[in-house]
Amino acid sequence: MSPALRIARKEAGELVLGVRGQIWLAVTTAVLSGFSLLLVGSQELSLLDNAQVVYDMAGLVTALGALLAVIAGIDAIGGERERGSLLPLLLAPVPRGSILAGKLGGPVAAWGVMLALAAPYFWAVGSTGQNLVSGMVALLVLGTPVVLGFGFLGVALGAWMQSGRTALSVALTGLVLSASPLLLGPSLRQSAIGRMFDAVNPFSAALNGFDAVIIDSQGAFAQAGHAAVAVAWLALTAWAAAAAMRRVSR
Amino acid sequence: MSLIKIDHLKLSIGDAPVLRDISLEVAPGEVVGLLGPNGAGKTTTIAAALGLLRPQGGTVRLMGGDPWTGGAALRCRVGVLPDPNGFYDWMTAPDYLAFFADLHSATNDAAVIARRMDRVGLAPRRGQLIGTFSRGMRQRLGLARALIGDPHLLALDEPTNGLDPRGRREMHDLLLDFAEQGVGILLCSHILDDVERLCSRVCIIDGGRTVAQGALADLLAAQNSKMRFRLELAGPLPPGGAVAAHVRVLHLAADYAIVDVDAHVGPPEAWRELFFLGWPIVAIAPEGGGLEALYLALTGGAVPGVPVQERAA
């Protein structure tokens, strides 16, 4: 097994099977359950178009995934440094690139588990409507680079900043800003500033892609523009993480 | 070929120069002590030697190669026990060692791991999570990790920290055993007794510079070429305060004096001269000596009772 895969397996095991991972999965399950119950049980929300419900669920899963990825990314470097367990890894005969690739194993595994966990909820709230399957494909295609990009961002911040807490505050601020399209109304997003923000914001790209696929019934693989923004985000954060990892010396 | 060879290493972190002129060498089968006060640059020197930091001046060679550009490959045959030394507390020790064996492309066979644990005295802890280990057990596990891949060089930062006296003795025996097998050991420690027991050579650094380097016996002999004594005095010195030719007064108080005596003269002759000159000596006791005195003299720490400007250089 290559060192990157070995590290990835360790990271995934720690995140998914460890106490923190179990707590996170329980929280995610509770949030998805609560959200689903609201969507099907609330008199007002149950009047929502079925496609709108799937769209909201896709946005929520992406946001939860990004939050988990950024925390896992920071912990993979900054957290390990604070626990003193990073240095032995840096001193192992493993190239930095392999360590970085391995460290992404945690966010990848967590995202995989989250997608699997979310699938039955999608079915529960969207099985009677349109575009459920294509919506889930869009979540996989557009949500994955956005979420993994946040994982890389977490790694970069964890490596760059000496304090895990500072890295976490910066990352959460960035995440809230980029996820703000979930909170902003459509009219605000259609203003000049809103459009500019949407054009470069990976989170917006994913949401607009979900919108196009789930609500407007466009093909999931026809969202090249949105996918390009998400992939550019992934590439940018991967580059930042690689640059930050080269500077880590303890 | 030297396992580590550092010549006139200079290194800054940010704008702050940390290493100004470090030279150090570790040969196979040699235990070299790296000594210096807190902040002298020991950890930074080790980090540069292992390729974690890029030097701004001088040369660093690890196993004959440049550790900055070829660090990962060169570190295959290097075992490191860093300080601080963290672990994955949720793993058991065998799982942890198997993980690092994989990273070293070494065998992670259960029998090999068990032998490794046995060697450092952790065999009874096989099923226990690392999170439950005491500090001494963690040090042993760190050493077991450092031994993965049958290293030619061990870089150990405070290896006996947290060990009980028996554990310390076992660690000494283990390290000497490795040195006998040809493993070079760079030992960073503040416990001078460990250094005196284990090291054939020492490198003392202070303020980012190597201030002394060489065989421990030679450095101690040079230090002891002036033997230091405390003389209790019954009263003031005679008028004029004459001093014998081979005696140097380092500190003079109302009721005692600290003096160095040239080794080739011998103390009895020096005392005779001082008595002849009228010194009211009532008691004589050796003052300091050994590696501690050498260390204090070279690293800016004052020898108790001796003015700083009089420190040996």
Side-chain angles (χ1 to χ4, degrees):
Chain A
M1 188 185 289
S2 77
L5 272 178
R6 188 67 179 87
I7 296 169
R9 206 174 83 178
K10 192 274 288 179
E11 292 291 322
E14 185 174 8
L15 191 67
V16 177
L17 303 176
V19 177
R20 283 176 301 167
Q22 300 291 319
I23 291 172
W24 181 262
L25 289 179
V27 167
T28 305
T29 308
V31 169
L32 290 175
S33 300
F35 195 59
S36 303
L37 278 174
L38 265 178
L39 289 172
V40 297
S42 158
Q43 203 169 9
E44 288 79 14
L45 290 176
S46 63
L47 294 177
L48 280 177
D49 176 60
N50 197 268
Q52 179 70 40
V53 170
V54 174
Y55 165 81
D56 287 343
M57 185 68 94
L60 178 71
V61 170
T62 307
L64 284 174
L67 180 61
L68 177 57
V70 83
I71 292 172
I74 289 172
D75 187 68
I77 302 295
E80 278 216 25
R81 178 168 45 213
E82 286 175 3
R83 293 189 291 275
S85 54
L86 183 63
L87 191 51
L89 192 60
L90 295 176
L91 290 167
V94 179
R96 289 295 168 91
S98 298
I99 295 179
L100 175 60
K103 286 291 182 187
L104 207 61
V108 167
W111 177 235
V113 170
M114 190 169 284
L115 284 177
L117 198 67
Y121 290 96
F122 270 102
W123 183 84
V125 299
S127 59
T128 55
Q130 58 178 15
N131 300 328
L132 175 64
V133 174
S134 53
M136 290 175 71
V137 171
L139 177 63
L140 187 67
V141 172
L142 296 170
T144 300
V146 172
V147 168
L148 296 189
F150 276 100
F152 274 129
L153 178 70
V155 168
L157 290 172
W160 196 274
M161 297 179 170
Q162 296 303 310
S163 152
R165 280 184 198 169
T166 312
L168 190 61
S169 341
V170 171
L172 290 181
T173 307
L175 182 60
V176 168
L177 274 177
S178 61
S180 60
L182 276 176
L183 310 170
L184 297 174
S187 51
L188 271 176
R189 288 175 63 197
Q190 280 160 14
S191 68
I193 294 176
R195 278 200 302 275
M196 277 166 54
F197 184 57
D198 263 13
V200 295
N201 180 4
F203 220 97
S204 301
L207 287 184
N208 292 336
F210 298 155
D211 191 333
V213 171
I214 300 167
I215 295 176
D216 299 340
S217 298
Q218 295 175 14
F221 294 100
Q223 306 305 316
H226 297 134
V229 174
V231 170
W233 159 252
L234 180 64
L236 180 72
T237 51
W239 172 81
M245 274 300 286
R246 277 195 294 274
R247 293 167 49 97
V248 176
S249 62
R250 67 177 180 84
Chain B
M1 181 185 69
S2 296
L3 299 171
I4 293 179
K5 186 157 174 55
I6 297 175
D7 281 315
H8 305 293
L9 169 63
K10 292 181 178 62
L11 194 149
S12 298
I13 294 179
D15 292 333
V18 179
L19 305 181
R20 297 158 199 271
D21 185 9
I22 296 285
S23 295
L24 168 69
E25 191 170 355
V26 181
E30 194 174 55
V31 185
V32 178
L34 180 60
L35 307 179
N38 295 329
K42 301 185 294 295
T43 304
T44 308
T45 301
I46 293 179
L50 299 176
L52 294 181
L53 290 170
R54 184 180 208 161
Q56 273 102 46
T59 56
V60 179
R61 286 283 174 270
L62 178 67
M63 313 272 185
D66 180 350
W68 177 250
T69 54
L74 293 171
R75 284 197 296 270
C76 270
R77 293 291 180 195
V78 180
V80 187
L81 179 64
D83 186 37
N85 188 21
F87 299 90
Y88 306 130
D89 289 351
W90 52 278
M91 282 186 179
T92 62
D95 287 345
Y96 181 78
L97 294 177
F99 171 70
F100 273 93
D102 281 344
L103 298 188
H104 279 77
S105 305
T107 176
N108 63 5
D109 182 68
V112 174
I113 299 282
R115 267 203 305 278
R116 221 178 278 288
M117 290 189 59
D118 197 26
R119 185 149 203 202
V120 296
L122 279 179
R125 313 287 177 182
R126 220 159 270 163
Q128 218 172 303
L129 290 179
I130 298 171
T132 64
F133 278 18
S134 68
R135 185 172 173 149
M137 284 151 62
R138 285 168 171 261
Q139 283 297 87
R140 289 166 190 261
L141 180 59
L143 183 67
R145 183 191 60 219
L147 298 178
I148 289 172
D150 299 322
H152 295 172
L153 171 71
L154 285 171
L156 310 174
D157 201 348
E158 304 289 353
T160 56
N161 253 2
L163 293 181
D164 57 36
R166 184 181 299 280
R168 214 170 129 224
R169 174 57 64 88
E170 286 168 2
M171 177 75 85
H172 288 174
D173 292 344
L174 199 60
L175 296 182
L176 289 172
D177 192 27
F178 278 114
E180 264 179 33
Q181 291 167 30
V183 176
I185 300 175
L186 179 61
L187 176 76
C188 201
S189 179
H190 285 121
I191 305 174
L192 297 181
D193 184 49
D194 284 355
V195 176
E196 281 185 300
R197 277 171 187 240
L198 295 171
C199 297
S200 44
R201 294 177 59 242
V202 293
C203 172
I204 302 179
I205 66 175
D206 189 24
R209 294 177 202 280
T210 299
V211 293
Q213 187 184 190
L216 182 57
D218 293 347
L219 291 175
L220 289 177
Q223 165 72 8
N224 291 338
S225 65
K226 286 196 187 304
M227 290 175 288
R228 187 160 295 172
F229 294 90
R230 179 186 172 99
L231 310 180
E232 300 295 338
L233 305 173
L237 295 186
V243 179
H246 305 295
V247 174
R248 186 165 170 232
V249 180
L250 299 179
H251 184 82
L252 183 61
D255 56 351
Y256 75 95
I258 305 286
V259 298
D260 273 348
V261 177
D262 286 348
H264 66 274
V265 175
E269 189 177 331
W271 308 150
R272 267 197 300 276
E273 285 183 36
L274 289 177
F275 280 124
F276 183 76
L277 290 167
W279 281 47
I281 300 170
V282 292
I284 300 170
E287 177 81 1
L291 183 57
E292 185 179 353
L294 176 69
Y295 175 88
L296 290 173
L298 292 173
T299 57
V303 179
V306 179
V308 171
Q309 64 271 21
E310 295 290 349
R311 275 184 284 119

PDB file of all heavy atoms in Angstrom, chain A residues 156-183:
ATOM      1  N   ALA A 156      -4.630  23.782   4.335  1.00  0.00           N
ATOM      2  CA  ALA A 156      -3.758  24.948   4.100  1.00  0.00           C
ATOM      3  C   ALA A 156      -3.724  25.858   5.326  1.00  0.00           C
ATOM      4  O   ALA A 156      -2.650  26.281   5.780  1.00  0.00           O
ATOM      5  CB  ALA A 156      -4.243  25.730   2.878  1.00  0.00           C
ATOM      6  N   LEU A 157      -4.905  26.136   5.880  1.00  0.00           N
ATOM      7  CA  LEU A 157      -4.950  27.032   7.047  1.00  0.00           C
ATOM      8  C   LEU A 157      -4.288  26.370   8.258  1.00  0.00           C
ATOM      9  O   LEU A 157      -3.566  27.028   9.020  1.00  0.00           O
ATOM     10  CB  LEU A 157      -6.395  27.405   7.368  1.00  0.00           C
ATOM     11  CG  LEU A 157      -7.077  28.323   6.348  1.00  0.00           C
ATOM     12  CD1 LEU A 157      -8.559  28.469   6.677  1.00  0.00           C
ATOM     13  CD2 LEU A 157      -6.420  29.693   6.310  1.00  0.00           C
ATOM     14  N   GLY A 158      -4.522  25.085   8.431  1.00  0.00           N
ATOM     15  CA  GLY A 158      -3.908  24.365   9.545  1.00  0.00           C
ATOM     16  C   GLY A 158      -2.393  24.364   9.439  1.00  0.00           C
ATOM     17  O   GLY A 158      -1.676  24.435  10.445  1.00  0.00           O
ATOM     18  N   ALA A 159      -1.890  24.261   8.201  1.00  0.00           N
ATOM     19  CA  ALA A 159      -0.444  24.249   8.005  1.00  0.00           C
ATOM     20  C   ALA A 159       0.135  25.658   8.130  1.00  0.00           C
ATOM     21  O   ALA A 159       1.238  25.849   8.646  1.00  0.00           O
ATOM     22  CB  ALA A 159      -0.114  23.676   6.625  1.00  0.00           C
ATOM     23  N   TRP A 160      -0.618  26.633   7.645  1.00  0.00           N
ATOM     24  CA  TRP A 160      -0.119  28.002   7.594  1.00  0.00           C
ATOM     25  C   TRP A 160      -0.097  28.654   8.968  1.00  0.00           C
ATOM     26  O   TRP A 160       0.853  29.339   9.336  1.00  0.00           O
ATOM     27  CB  TRP A 160      -1.011  28.814   6.645  1.00  0.00           C
ATOM     28  CG  TRP A 160      -0.401  30.095   6.217  1.00  0.00           C
ATOM     29  CD1 TRP A 160      -0.450  31.278   6.869  1.00  0.00           C
ATOM     30  CD2 TRP A 160       0.387  30.312   5.051  1.00  0.00           C
ATOM     31  NE1 TRP A 160       0.254  32.218   6.170  1.00  0.00           N
ATOM     32  CE2 TRP A 160       0.780  31.643   5.046  1.00  0.00           C
ATOM     33  CE3 TRP A 160       0.789  29.479   3.994  1.00  0.00           C
ATOM     34  CZ2 TRP A 160       1.561  32.185   4.043  1.00  0.00           C
ATOM     35  CZ3 TRP A 160       1.559  30.027   2.995  1.00  0.00           C
ATOM     36  CH2 TRP A 160       1.937  31.359   3.035  1.00  0.00           C
ATOM     37  N   MET A 161      -1.162  28.440   9.723  1.00  0.00           N
ATOM     38  CA  MET A 161      -1.302  29.157  10.997  1.00  0.00           C
ATOM     39  C   MET A 161      -0.806  28.277  12.148  1.00  0.00           C
ATOM     40  O   MET A 161      -1.030  27.076  12.152  1.00  0.00           O
ATOM     41  CB  MET A 161      -2.753  29.542  11.222  1.00  0.00           C
ATOM     42  CG  MET A 161      -3.229  30.497  10.157  1.00  0.00           C
ATOM     43  SD  MET A 161      -4.925  30.953  10.361  1.00  0.00           S
ATOM     44  CE  MET A 161      -5.038  32.275   9.175  1.00  0.00           C
ATOM     45  N   GLN A 162      -0.192  28.921  13.093  1.00  0.00           N
ATOM     46  CA  GLN A 162       0.384  28.166  14.212  1.00  0.00           C
ATOM     47  C   GLN A 162      -0.688  27.696  15.191  1.00  0.00           C
ATOM     48  O   GLN A 162      -0.483  26.745  15.922  1.00  0.00           O
ATOM     49  CB  GLN A 162       1.409  29.032  14.955  1.00  0.00           C
ATOM     50  CG  GLN A 162       2.608  29.412  14.108  1.00  0.00           C
ATOM     51  CD  GLN A 162       3.342  28.209  13.554  1.00  0.00           C
ATOM     52  OE1 GLN A 162       3.668  27.283  14.275  1.00  0.00           O
ATOM     53  NE2 GLN A 162       3.569  28.188  12.245  1.00  0.00           N
ATOM     54  N   SER A 163      -1.834  28.407  15.190  1.00  0.00           N
ATOM     55  CA  SER A 163      -2.876  28.055  16.153  1.00  0.00           C
ATOM     56  C   SER A 163      -4.063  27.428  15.431  1.00  0.00           C
ATOM     57  O   SER A 163      -4.598  27.995  14.467  1.00  0.00           O
ATOM     58  CB  SER A 163      -3.303  29.315  16.913  1.00  0.00           C
ATOM     59  OG  SER A 163      -4.632  29.197  17.340  1.00  0.00           O
ATOM     60  N   GLY A 164      -4.473  26.264  15.900  1.00  0.00           N
ATOM     61  CA  GLY A 164      -5.620  25.583  15.314  1.00  0.00           C
ATOM     62  C   GLY A 164      -6.894  26.393  15.473  1.00  0.00           C
ATOM     63  O   GLY A 164      -7.746  26.415  14.588  1.00  0.00           O
ATOM     64  N   ARG A 165      -7.018  27.087  16.603  1.00  0.00           N
ATOM     65  CA  ARG A 165      -8.227  27.880  16.844  1.00  0.00           C
ATOM     66  C   ARG A 165      -8.340  29.027  15.854  1.00  0.00           C
ATOM     67  O   ARG A 165      -9.414  29.326  15.343  1.00  0.00           O
ATOM     68  CB  ARG A 165      -8.210  28.449  18.259  1.00  0.00           C
ATOM     69  CG  ARG A 165      -8.639  27.437  19.270  1.00  0.00           C
ATOM     70  CD  ARG A 165      -8.713  28.055  20.634  1.00  0.00           C
ATOM     71  NE  ARG A 165      -8.718  27.020  21.648  1.00  0.00           N
ATOM     72  CZ  ARG A 165      -8.568  27.242  22.930  1.00  0.00           C
ATOM     73  NH1 ARG A 165      -8.385  28.465  23.357  1.00  0.00           N
ATOM     74  NH2 ARG A 165      -8.599  26.276  23.796  1.00  0.00           N
ATOM     75  N   THR A 166      -7.201  29.696  15.606  1.00  0.00           N
ATOM     76  CA  THR A 166      -7.217  30.801  14.654  1.00  0.00           C
ATOM     77  C   THR A 166      -7.588  30.278  13.276  1.00  0.00           C
ATOM     78  O   THR A 166      -8.409  30.872  12.570  1.00  0.00           O
ATOM     79  CB  THR A 166      -5.822  31.475  14.588  1.00  0.00           C
ATOM     80  OG1 THR A 166      -5.383  31.700  15.914  1.00  0.00           O
ATOM     81  CG2 THR A 166      -5.848  32.763  13.831  1.00  0.00           C
ATOM     82  N   ALA A 167      -6.985  29.155  12.906  1.00  0.00           N
ATOM     83  CA  ALA A 167      -7.280  28.573  11.596  1.00  0.00           C
ATOM     84  C   ALA A 167      -8.766  28.242  11.499  1.00  0.00           C
ATOM     85  O   ALA A 167      -9.400  28.505  10.464  1.00  0.00           O
ATOM     86  CB  ALA A 167      -6.441  27.318  11.393  1.00  0.00           C
ATOM     87  N   LEU A 168      -9.324  27.713  12.588  1.00  0.00           N
ATOM     88  CA  LEU A 168     -10.736  27.341  12.574  1.00  0.00           C
ATOM     89  C   LEU A 168     -11.624  28.572  12.426  1.00  0.00           C
ATOM     90  O   LEU A 168     -12.591  28.565  11.655  1.00  0.00           O
ATOM     91  CB  LEU A 168     -11.076  26.581  13.858  1.00  0.00           C
ATOM     92  CG  LEU A 168     -12.448  25.914  13.897  1.00  0.00           C
ATOM     93  CD1 LEU A 168     -12.578  24.883  12.791  1.00  0.00           C
ATOM     94  CD2 LEU A 168     -12.683  25.246  15.246  1.00  0.00           C
ATOM     95  N   SER A 169     -11.268  29.657  13.161  1.00  0.00           N
ATOM     96  CA  SER A 169     -12.106  30.865  13.046  1.00  0.00           C
ATOM     97  C   SER A 169     -12.056  31.434  11.635  1.00  0.00           C
ATOM     98  O   SER A 169     -13.076  31.831  11.087  1.00  0.00           O
ATOM     99  CB  SER A 169     -11.678  31.976  14.010  1.00  0.00           C
ATOM    100  OG  SER A 169     -10.933  31.507  15.024  1.00  0.00           O
ATOM    101  N   VAL A 170     -10.847  31.466  11.052  1.00  0.00           N
ATOM    102  CA  VAL A 170     -10.732  32.004   9.687  1.00  0.00           C
ATOM    103  C   VAL A 170     -11.521  31.136   8.716  1.00  0.00           C
ATOM    104  O   VAL A 170     -12.270  31.632   7.865  1.00  0.00           O
ATOM    105  CB  VAL A 170      -9.239  32.060   9.270  1.00  0.00           C
ATOM    106  CG1 VAL A 170      -9.098  32.397   7.796  1.00  0.00           C
ATOM    107  CG2 VAL A 170      -8.487  33.071  10.107  1.00  0.00           C
ATOM    108  N   ALA A 171     -11.390  29.823   8.875  1.00  0.00           N
ATOM    109  CA  ALA A 171     -12.067  28.904   7.951  1.00  0.00           C
ATOM    110  C   ALA A 171     -13.585  29.023   8.085  1.00  0.00           C
ATOM    111  O   ALA A 171     -14.297  29.045   7.077  1.00  0.00           O
ATOM    112  CB  ALA A 171     -11.630  27.478   8.244  1.00  0.00           C
ATOM    113  N   LEU A 172     -14.063  29.112   9.314  1.00  0.00           N
ATOM    114  CA  LEU A 172     -15.519  29.192   9.497  1.00  0.00           C
ATOM    115  C   LEU A 172     -16.067  30.497   8.939  1.00  0.00           C
ATOM    116  O   LEU A 172     -17.151  30.530   8.356  1.00  0.00           O
ATOM    117  CB  LEU A 172     -15.879  29.037  10.980  1.00  0.00           C
ATOM    118  CG  LEU A 172     -15.660  27.621  11.545  1.00  0.00           C
ATOM    119  CD1 LEU A 172     -16.073  27.552  13.005  1.00  0.00           C
ATOM    120  CD2 LEU A 172     -16.442  26.586  10.735  1.00  0.00           C
ATOM    121  N   THR A 173     -15.293  31.579   9.114  1.00  0.00           N
ATOM    122  CA  THR A 173     -15.721  32.858   8.536  1.00  0.00           C
ATOM    123  C   THR A 173     -15.818  32.735   7.017  1.00  0.00           C
ATOM    124  O   THR A 173     -16.807  33.151   6.404  1.00  0.00           O
ATOM    125  CB  THR A 173     -14.708  33.975   8.908  1.00  0.00           C
ATOM    126  OG1 THR A 173     -14.530  33.960  10.323  1.00  0.00           O
ATOM    127  CG2 THR A 173     -15.194  35.328   8.464  1.00  0.00           C
ATOM    128  N   GLY A 174     -14.802  32.142   6.421  1.00  0.00           N
ATOM    129  CA  GLY A 174     -14.800  31.953   4.967  1.00  0.00           C
ATOM    130  C   GLY A 174     -15.949  31.071   4.524  1.00  0.00           C
ATOM    131  O   GLY A 174     -16.609  31.343   3.512  1.00  0.00           O
ATOM    132  N   LEU A 175     -16.206  30.043   5.312  1.00  0.00           N
ATOM    133  CA  LEU A 175     -17.281  29.113   4.945  1.00  0.00           C
ATOM    134  C   LEU A 175     -18.647  29.799   5.024  1.00  0.00           C
ATOM    135  O   LEU A 175     -19.484  29.649   4.125  1.00  0.00           O
ATOM    136  CB  LEU A 175     -17.236  27.902   5.880  1.00  0.00           C
ATOM    137  CG  LEU A 175     -18.266  26.805   5.622  1.00  0.00           C
ATOM    138  CD1 LEU A 175     -18.105  26.243   4.216  1.00  0.00           C
ATOM    139  CD2 LEU A 175     -18.122  25.677   6.626  1.00  0.00           C
ATOM    140  N   VAL A 176     -18.847  30.568   6.088  1.00  0.00           N
ATOM    141  CA  VAL A 176     -20.128  31.267   6.229  1.00  0.00           C
ATOM    142  C   VAL A 176     -20.315  32.252   5.084  1.00  0.00           C
ATOM    143  O   VAL A 176     -21.387  32.360   4.490  1.00  0.00           O
ATOM    144  CB  VAL A 176     -20.211  31.987   7.598  1.00  0.00           C
ATOM    145  CG1 VAL A 176     -21.384  32.954   7.640  1.00  0.00           C
ATOM    146  CG2 VAL A 176     -20.329  30.970   8.713  1.00  0.00           C
ATOM    147  N   LEU A 177     -19.228  32.980   4.734  1.00  0.00           N
ATOM    148  CA  LEU A 177     -19.311  33.936   3.630  1.00  0.00           C
ATOM    149  C   LEU A 177     -19.665  33.231   2.325  1.00  0.00           C
ATOM    150  O   LEU A 177     -20.542  33.679   1.586  1.00  0.00           O
ATOM    151  CB  LEU A 177     -17.974  34.664   3.461  1.00  0.00           C
ATOM    152  CG  LEU A 177     -17.759  35.898   4.337  1.00  0.00           C
ATOM    153  CD1 LEU A 177     -16.362  36.460   4.094  1.00  0.00           C
ATOM    154  CD2 LEU A 177     -18.817  36.954   4.014  1.00  0.00           C
ATOM    155  N   SER A 178     -18.953  32.144   2.063  1.00  0.00           N
ATOM    156  CA  SER A 178     -19.183  31.500   0.770  1.00  0.00           C
ATOM    157  C   SER A 178     -20.520  30.770   0.736  1.00  0.00           C
ATOM    158  O   SER A 178     -21.109  30.601  -0.326  1.00  0.00           O
ATOM    159  CB  SER A 178     -18.034  30.564   0.414  1.00  0.00           C
ATOM    160  OG  SER A 178     -17.942  29.568   1.381  1.00  0.00           O
ATOM    161  N   ALA A 179     -21.002  30.352   1.898  1.00  0.00           N
ATOM    162  CA  ALA A 179     -22.299  29.669   1.925  1.00  0.00           C
ATOM    163  C   ALA A 179     -23.458  30.644   2.049  1.00  0.00           C
ATOM    164  O   ALA A 179     -24.610  30.225   2.131  1.00  0.00           O
ATOM    165  CB  ALA A 179     -22.335  28.674   3.073  1.00  0.00           C
ATOM    166  N   SER A 180     -23.137  31.938   2.041  1.00  0.00           N
ATOM    167  CA  SER A 180     -24.201  32.928   2.234  1.00  0.00           C
ATOM    168  C   SER A 180     -25.295  32.870   1.163  1.00  0.00           C
ATOM    169  O   SER A 180     -26.421  33.256   1.451  1.00  0.00           O
ATOM    170  CB  SER A 180     -23.603  34.330   2.314  1.00  0.00           C
ATOM    171  OG  SER A 180     -22.921  34.611   1.123  1.00  0.00           O
ATOM    172  N   PRO A 181     -25.021  32.377  -0.060  1.00  0.00           N
ATOM    173  CA  PRO A 181     -26.136  32.262  -1.010  1.00  0.00           C
ATOM    174  C   PRO A 181     -27.280  31.412  -0.478  1.00  0.00           C
ATOM    175  O   PRO A 181     -28.426  31.577  -0.899  1.00  0.00           O
ATOM    176  CB  PRO A 181     -25.495  31.603  -2.230  1.00  0.00           C
ATOM    177  CG  PRO A 181     -24.070  31.992  -2.155  1.00  0.00           C
ATOM    178  CD  PRO A 181     -23.747  32.066  -0.712  1.00  0.00           C
ATOM    179  N   LEU A 182     -26.967  30.501   0.454  1.00  0.00           N
ATOM    180  CA  LEU A 182     -28.041  29.715   1.055  1.00  0.00           C
ATOM    181  C   LEU A 182     -28.977  30.611   1.857  1.00  0.00           C
ATOM    182  O   LEU A 182     -30.152  30.322   2.016  1.00  0.00           O
ATOM    183  CB  LEU A 182     -27.458  28.663   1.997  1.00  0.00           C
ATOM    184  CG  LEU A 182     -26.975  27.335   1.405  1.00  0.00           C
ATOM    185  CD1 LEU A 182     -26.354  26.488   2.501  1.00  0.00           C
ATOM    186  CD2 LEU A 182     -28.124  26.582   0.761  1.00  0.00           C
ATOM    187  N   LEU A 183     -28.387  31.707   2.402  1.00  0.00           N
ATOM    188  CA  LEU A 183     -29.162  32.579   3.287  1.00  0.00           C
ATOM    189  C   LEU A 183     -29.748  33.781   2.544  1.00  0.00           C
ATOM    190  O   LEU A 183     -30.808  34.282   2.899  1.00  0.00           O
ATOM    191  CB  LEU A 183     -28.273  33.081   4.436  1.00  0.00           C
ATOM    192  CG  LEU A 183     -27.488  32.004   5.192  1.00  0.00           C
ATOM    193  CD1 LEU A 183     -26.479  32.640   6.131  1.00  0.00           C
ATOM    194  CD2 LEU A 183     -28.439  31.110   5.964  1.00  0.00           C
TER     195      LEU A 183
END
